[in-house]
Amino acid sequence: MVGRQKKLKIRFVPGNVEVVQEDVDIPDTRVLITGATGLLGRAVYKEFNENNWNAVGCGYSRARPRFEQVNLLDTTAIHDLIEDFQPHLIVHCAAERRPDVVESHPEAAFQLNVVVSERIAKEAARVEAFLIYISTDYVFDGTNPPYLETGIPNPLNLYGKLKLEGEKAVLQNYEGAAVLRVPILYGDVEKLEESAVTILFDKVQFSNKPANMDHWQQRFPTHVKDVASVCRQLAERRLQDPSLKGIFHWSSNEQMTKYEIACAMADAFNLPSNHLRPLADGLVVGVLRPKNAQLDCSRLENLGIGQHTPFRTGIKESLWPFLIDKKWRQTVFH
C-alpha cells in the first residue's frame, strides 16, 4: 500500500539549478528507527527504506540532514515524534553499547538504556505500534551456552545489567513488544572504531610490530544487515500474526575469538598474520565479559526468519575502504 505526496527535489541543468515539486510514492506502512545514525540503525533504516516501508530515522549529534534530530532524553520530544508520525513499528536501536563507557558513565547509560526504553515502550503501547527493542548477548554470563530465550540471565557487567533492565522495562510496560538479543556486530562502518570487530583491522594492517590478541572469549560476529533483515522479517510476520511477541535471538553461527577474527581479516585481504599473537589465558583487562554467550536462534529459525552473511564476505565488504596499501586492493578486488 502506498500513498502520493509532494516532495521537493533539486534538479541540475546546464547553467542552472532548479527546485521542483514532484509526486512521489510514500508507502503506508510506517517505521520509526531510533539511533538511526549508528552502525545498526543505519542498516535498519536502509533495510526498511528499500523494502516498501515509510522509514523515518532519528538521531541526535549526527542526525541532520538525513534524519530527524531528537533528544531521546526529552520526554516531550519522544511523544511528539511518535504522535506526529504514528508508526506501525518502532525499532529501538539507540543505546550506550560500549561496556567500558557504561562503567565510567553509569547514570548517563542508565538514562539512555533503561529510562528512555521505558518511555518508548509506553508510547509504542499508546499508539499500538509494534516495538522491537535491541538487546545483547551480554545479559548472560557465558558459562552454559548456547542460550535459549528462556535462559536465565546473569550479566557480568553493568552494560549487560542495564540492557537487561531495559528489556524488563519494555516488556512490563508493553506486553506486545519484542526484544531482539544480538551479539557483537560489524558492517559498513564510518570509521574502524565504530565496531569492536572492525577496530582490530589496524592491528592486522600494521604488521611491523607484534600485536597481542584475545584468544579466550568466544564471539559470534554478526553483520548488521542480517540483523536489519531479521527486524524487517519479524515486523512483517507480526503484521500477519499479532500474537508474535516476547524475546528473540539472532546471531551468526561462526564462532571465533578476536585472534581468529583478526586472522580471518588478514586472510580475506591476503595480508600477513604472523605478527598476531594469541592470548588464551583469559586474563581480564577492563570490564568483565562472558566467555561464551552463544545465542540459540531456533525460535526465529522455526518461523522461517533469518539471514546469514559469511564472515569472510561481510568483513571484506566492510573493510576494503580502509585498506592502507593500495596494491592489496588490486590483488583482492581485480
Side-chain angles (χ1 to χ4, degrees), residues 197-265:
V197 175
T198 57
I199 196 173
L200 303 176
F201 195 43
D202 274 345
K203 289 186 177 180
V204 173
Q205 293 197 88
F206 295 113
S207 57
N208 57 332
K209 57 182 179 180
N212 294 329
M213 310 293 293
D214 175 66
H215 194 42
W216 175 79
Q217 187 183 17
Q218 304 298 313
R219 313 305 299 267
F220 295 81
T222 300
H223 204 297
V224 288
K225 69 181 180 183
D226 294 343
V227 177
S229 176
V230 165
C231 287
R232 180 182 59 80
Q233 293 175 58
L234 179 58
E236 291 175 349
R237 184 67 63 87
R238 166 61 178 253
L239 293 176
Q240 302 169 355
D241 181 5
S243 69
L244 209 58
K245 60 186 179 181
I247 300 174
F248 299 87
H249 290 170
W250 191 253
S251 170
S252 164
N253 51 18
E254 295 181 74
Q255 177 176 332
M256 55 188 78
T257 64
K258 283 192 174 181
Y259 168 73
E260 290 167 332
I261 290 172
C263 289
M265 290 176 179

Side-chain angles (χ1 to χ4, degrees), residues 112-124:
L112 183 56
N113 290 4
V114 182
V115 176
V116 167
S117 301
E118 179 178 331
R119 290 172 184 164
I120 289 176
K122 289 179 178 178
E123 290 292 334

Side-chain angles (χ1 to χ4, degrees), residues 83 122 195 279:
E83 179 65 24
K122 289 179 178 178
S195 161
L279 297 178

Side-chain angles (χ1 to χ4, degrees), residues 148-169:
L148 291 165
E149 293 83 357
T150 53
I152 299 174
N154 183 33
L156 298 180
N157 56 45
L158 185 59
Y159 167 65
K161 291 174 183 176
L162 292 184
K163 290 301 287 183
L164 181 60
E165 284 190 46
E167 290 185 10
K168 293 176 179 177

Side-chain angles (χ1 to χ4, degrees), residues 49-330:
N49 192 51
E50 294 179 352
N51 284 277
N52 205 33
W53 284 70
N54 180 1
V56 167
C58 66
Y60 190 57
S61 60
R62 296 179 290 165
R64 298 297 187 187
R66 187 179 183 191
F67 301 117
E68 297 292 319
Q69 186 174 43
V70 178
N71 180 0
L72 293 179
L73 299 176
D74 183 339
T75 306
T76 302
I78 295 175
H79 171 82
D80 290 348
L81 177 65
I82 294 174
E83 179 65 24
D84 290 345
F85 187 50
Q86 290 288 312
H88 299 93
L89 167 69
I90 301 172
V91 185
H92 182 33
C93 300
E96 178 49 72
R97 59 171 182 77
R98 299 163 294 180
D100 295 291
V101 174
V102 171
E103 294 285 345
S104 58
H105 298 88
E107 180 56 31
F110 174 78
Q111 289 295 319
L112 183 56
N113 290 4
V114 182
V115 176
V116 167
S117 301
E118 179 178 331
R119 290 172 184 164
I120 289 176
K122 289 179 178 178
E123 290 292 334
R126 181 180 63 82
V127 299
E128 298 182 342
F130 182 40
L131 172 63
I132 300 177
Y133 167 80
I134 303 297
S135 190
T136 173
D137 58 347
Y138 273 30
V139 299
F140 298 113
D141 60 17
T143 60
N144 189 31
Y147 290 93
L148 291 165
E149 293 83 357
T150 53
I152 299 174
N154 183 33
L156 298 180
N157 56 45
L158 185 59
Y159 167 65
K161 291 174 183 176
L162 292 184
K163 290 301 287 183
L164 181 60
E165 284 190 46
E167 290 185 10
K168 293 176 179 177
V170 165
L171 295 175
Q172 286 170 1
N173 285 279
Y174 186 13
E175 183 191 4
V179 168
L180 180 61
R181 294 173 179 153
V182 296
I184 189 171
L185 301 176
Y186 73 97
D188 294 335
V189 294
E190 294 179 345
K191 53 185 179 180
L192 293 177
E193 298 78 21
E194 198 173 20
S195 161
V197 175
T198 57
I199 196 173
L200 303 176
F201 195 43
D202 274 345
K203 289 186 177 180
V204 173
Q205 293 197 88
F206 295 113
S207 57
N208 57 332
K209 57 182 179 180
N212 294 329
M213 310 293 293
D214 175 66
H215 194 42
W216 175 79
Q217 187 183 17
Q218 304 298 313
R219 313 305 299 267
F220 295 81
T222 300
H223 204 297
V224 288
K225 69 181 180 183
D226 294 343
V227 177
S229 176
V230 165
C231 287
R232 180 182 59 80
Q233 293 175 58
L234 179 58
E236 291 175 349
R237 184 67 63 87
R238 166 61 178 253
L239 293 176
Q240 302 169 355
D241 181 5
S243 69
L244 209 58
K245 60 186 179 181
I247 300 174
F248 299 87
H249 290 170
W250 191 253
S251 170
S252 164
N253 51 18
E254 295 181 74
Q255 177 176 332
M256 55 188 78
T257 64
K258 283 192 174 181
Y259 168 73
E260 290 167 332
I261 290 172
C263 289
M265 290 176 179
D267 182 62
F269 291 102
N270 300 322
L271 295 170
S273 61
N274 54 2
H275 66 294
L276 304 174
R277 296 180 176 178
L279 297 178
D281 52 18
L283 289 176
V284 175
V285 178
V287 176
L288 275 175
R289 288 167 166 81
K291 181 177 182 181
N292 185 350
Q294 180 182 6
L295 300 172
D296 184 307
C297 305
S298 55
R299 184 182 182 194
L300 283 174
E301 289 170 342
N302 289 339
L303 291 169
I305 293 174
Q307 176 175 299
H308 286 299
T309 298
F311 183 73
R312 182 186 173 95
T313 301
I315 205 63
K316 189 182 290 187
E317 292 174 352
S318 302
L319 291 179
W320 74 263
F322 299 93
L323 274 173
I324 295 171
D325 192 338
K326 302 301 187 293
K327 71 180 182 182
W328 289 112
R329 295 194 187 199
Q330 297 170 358

